[in-house]
Amino acid sequence: MTVEPLNLVVVSAGVSEPSSTRLLADRITQKSLDLLREAGMPATASVVELGPLAVDIARALVSGFPGEDLKRAIARLAAADAVIASTPVYKAGISGLFKSFADVLDNDLLVARPVVLAATGGSARHAMVPDEQLRPLFAFLRALPVPTSVYATPEDWGSPDLGRRVTRAATELTLLLRSGVGHQIADTAWDGYQHQFSGNATRAEKSVADVDFTTDLMRLAAGGGR
């Protein structure tokens, strides 16, 4: 029987070239792919770069309607089995671009989805930003962040400590995926969550097809009589 590969999606808010934020995410992703392969769980990975979507994200925040490129990025995220979220830190906070992207996501898009939290910055003083800002954000989205977050400064790239943190976070992600707990939570508790009408979540509870237009209320709303 053919096993469908797991789908890992990286969300990177790095804007420089090359981007240390993307490099950190790639390192975590590669380690996760290696560990999943060793566990007999084939997986693939793709990247959503937020930099090229910045204008679309800003427009969606104002209008409430994402453009086609942003829709495709959200659809890729909705189809992910796990997410590696990576952002630069500016002035003691996560990237405004990353937060703006999160603001246009449906609240139920990532329910019970395993997530690795990662960030890069110029100083070790910001090391708690992933836990102080990314973790509450993904808790609000009801995702499943792994216990270990990964933060890197320029001095960390040659340090074995960074490699150990990357391995620990990737191991935690692998174990969550192996357990299948995320899918079990979503399968058994999905109806108990609030869902956006005709939303982007892959298990979106309601769509236009679910609406009964024959009720008295709907006929009145459509301008018809009783």
Side-chain angles (χ1 to χ4, degrees):
M1 185 176 69
T2 302
V3 178
E4 190 73 21
L6 293 170
N7 178 23
L8 309 187
V9 175
V10 173
V11 179
S12 172
V15 294
S16 59
E17 187 61 45
S19 165
S20 60
T21 300
R22 170 68 186 277
L23 291 174
L24 180 61
D26 286 348
R27 188 166 173 179
I28 296 167
T29 303
Q30 187 58 58
K31 188 63 179 180
S32 300
L33 292 172
D34 292 342
L35 292 174
L36 286 166
R37 185 180 64 251
E38 292 171 10
M41 300 180 70
T44 62
S46 61
V47 181
V48 174
E49 288 277 10
L50 299 186
L53 297 171
V55 173
D56 282 348
I57 292 170
R59 286 174 176 160
L61 283 173
V62 175
S63 69
F65 297 99
E68 292 303 317
D69 289 343
L70 184 54
K71 280 183 180 178
R72 284 191 287 270
I74 294 172
R76 286 169 60 190
L77 191 59
D81 293 296
V83 177
I84 294 89
S86 189
T87 176
V89 173
Y90 301 119
K91 302 187 189 308
I94 64 172
S95 160
L97 177 60
F98 189 96
K99 179 58 168 65
S100 295
F101 178 67
D103 287 343
V104 303
L105 301 179
D106 289 0
N107 289 346
D108 56 355
L109 191 81
L110 297 176
V111 168
R113 209 70 51 86
V115 180
V116 176
L117 310 176
T120 58
S123 168
R125 292 183 300 164
H126 304 310
M128 289 302 295
V129 167
D131 288 308
E132 290 178 342
Q133 298 186 25
L134 283 179
R135 195 169 295 277
L137 174 60
F138 281 95
F140 176 81
L141 294 172
R142 294 163 297 190
L144 295 177
V146 303
T148 299
S149 60
V150 184
Y151 176 78
T153 67
E155 294 77 22
D156 288 325
W157 290 101
S159 167
D161 286 341
L162 178 59
R164 284 192 285 267
R165 294 198 302 274
V166 167
T167 298
R168 191 164 68 240
T171 299
E172 293 163 355
L173 183 68
T174 299
L175 291 172
L176 275 176
L177 288 170
R178 287 181 63 185
S179 73
V181 66
H183 286 294
Q184 293 177 50
I185 291 172
D187 287 342
T188 58
W190 184 256
D191 289 342
Y193 299 116
Q194 291 183 339
H195 304 295
Q196 183 168 329
F197 177 78
S198 195
N200 290 304
T202 52
R203 301 167 184 260
E205 184 181 36
K206 298 294 183 182
S207 68
V208 173
D210 297 309
V211 179
D212 183 0
F213 289 97
T214 66
T215 65
D216 290 343
L217 182 60
M218 289 305 298
R219 283 199 298 268
L220 286 170
R226 293 194 59 177

